[in-house]
Amino acid sequence: MKHLVPLCTAFLACVFLLSLPACSEGGSQVEASGSLGSAPADTEFIAIADTSNSRNVEVTLSTTGLLAFVGMDTLEVIASDLHSYFQSTNDGDWGQLMRHFPLHKRSDTAFTESSKRALQMWWENGVRNRTEMAEIVYASPATLDNDQQVVLLNMKLKHIVEFYPFYTGANPSGMKGMVESNYGKGNATYYEEALAEGDSLPFRYWEINGLNRIWAVSHVDSNHWCFLPPNFNEGGAANMMSSDAMVQGLRHRRANDPTAAK
């Protein structure tokens, strides 16, 4: 059932999928004033994309407490591509989603097509992932990792894993451990409700609200960023990034992101 995990809908089915563009411009630090992780309700955001309906996603950079160790131009490109990744998942646009998988590490057509088929299978079986918002609060310096650059992001995330009434697989209510392993303890709440009054079968979903990490990677010769879930190396894809690059990103976050312990 790991195929159902949101941030990597496909990667955990055939290997995770996540995306983004542009090379970093070095490690310039941009630090906004304010308390990270405790922004008031009226906090201003730099809007990267607008939302107009329930399946549209909003990706923003927090202007209160943002800790960015890459240039702001680069971070805005990353945020724009992150929006494209999340929106393609919301829409079930698997061709666009696969553009956000680091194909410079695995570009064979058979893999791409089998991933798209797996994603479509889960969609047609009533399992859908929907991201409502992601607010980036931390970005590590870009690390050169052989043929790619790596940036570790931390964000406030609201994400929904939906199970429509015609879904007939394992009981979603028993997936708490799996969901929390990907989104953090205390970040997931399970709900059941009728799509319409009188329905005999409920609409079931896990709602994730909380801080979540994601890896942004870009080929050194490309202006396109791709994404990997925080635990990508546990799904048979450790070759997507060197252990040195991963350790470097995690150490920097631990030393510089006040929310690192959360």
Side-chain angles (χ1 to χ4, degrees):
M1 293 301 296
K2 283 195 172 184
H3 310 60
L4 310 183
V5 178
L7 271 185
C8 40
T9 309
F11 179 41
L12 295 178
C14 302
V15 216
F16 46 59
L17 307 174
L18 304 146
S19 99
L20 235 249
C23 289
S24 165
E25 307 145 4
S28 60
Q29 176 180 357
V30 179
E31 179 174 351
S33 60
S35 230
L36 192 61
S38 58
D42 60 348
T43 297
E44 288 184 74
F45 300 116
I46 301 172
I48 304 301
D50 295 326
T51 71
S52 58
N53 64 51
S54 61
R55 294 208 76 85
N56 279 358
V57 62
E58 182 178 36
V59 176
T60 60
L61 306 178
S62 176
T63 57
T64 300
L66 173 67
L67 291 174
F69 296 84
V70 291
M72 190 57 71
D73 288 350
T74 293
L75 189 55
E76 288 180 355
V77 173
I78 290 176
S80 178
D81 285 346
L82 186 60
H83 172 268
S84 176
Y85 160 72
F86 282 135
Q87 191 62 56
S88 62
T89 304
N90 288 8
D91 296 339
D93 185 347
W94 312 132
Q96 178 65 13
L97 181 62
M98 287 305 299
R99 291 191 67 247
H100 298 306
F101 179 82
L103 292 174
H104 60 275
K105 291 295 186 182
R106 184 169 183 181
S107 60
D108 57 285
T109 302
F111 166 77
T112 300
E113 292 304 312
S114 64
S115 297
K116 288 159 62 175
R117 286 195 298 272
L119 288 163
Q120 185 63 25
M121 178 195 72
W122 286 109
W123 180 279
E124 293 175 355
N125 286 343
V127 182
R128 301 181 186 180
N129 289 276
R130 174 168 57 90
T131 300
E132 290 190 3
M133 62 80 68
E135 176 197 340
I136 297 172
V137 296
Y138 163 84
S140 74
T143 297
L144 183 61
D145 180 35
N146 298 313
D147 61 347
Q148 64 185 4
Q149 293 192 87
V150 175
V151 174
L152 177 60
L153 304 177
N154 192 30
M155 58 191 171
K156 295 178 184 177
L157 181 73
K158 183 173 182 182
H159 183 92
I160 316 294
V161 189
E162 304 170 330
F163 299 84
Y164 282 73
F166 57 89
Y167 166 74
T168 59
N171 192 333
S173 65
M175 298 178 186
K176 183 179 178 68
M178 183 196 73
V179 175
E180 288 192 337
S181 72
N182 286 275
Y183 296 99
K185 282 200 168 187
N187 286 348
T189 306
Y190 180 71
Y191 296 94
E192 292 189 3
E193 58 188 45
L195 281 174
E197 186 176 352
D199 282 356
S200 59
L201 295 174
F203 175 65
R204 297 165 289 178
Y205 62 97
W206 282 95
E207 180 176 300
I208 292 88
N209 257 306
L211 291 164
N212 200 264
R213 291 174 288 120
I214 193 169
W215 296 94
V217 300
S218 172
H219 189 274
V220 292
D221 295 326
S222 172
N223 191 37
H224 184 76
W225 289 91
C226 301
F227 300 94
L228 298 174
N231 58 349
F232 73 91
N233 57 321
E234 298 173 8
N239 63 331
M240 293 290 169
M241 186 188 307
S242 71
S243 57
D244 287 346
M246 184 182 300
V247 169
Q248 194 169 330
L250 292 172
R251 281 179 176 170
H252 186 276
R253 186 194 164 216
R254 190 160 53 243
N256 294 279
D257 181 359
T259 72
K262 297 183 180 180

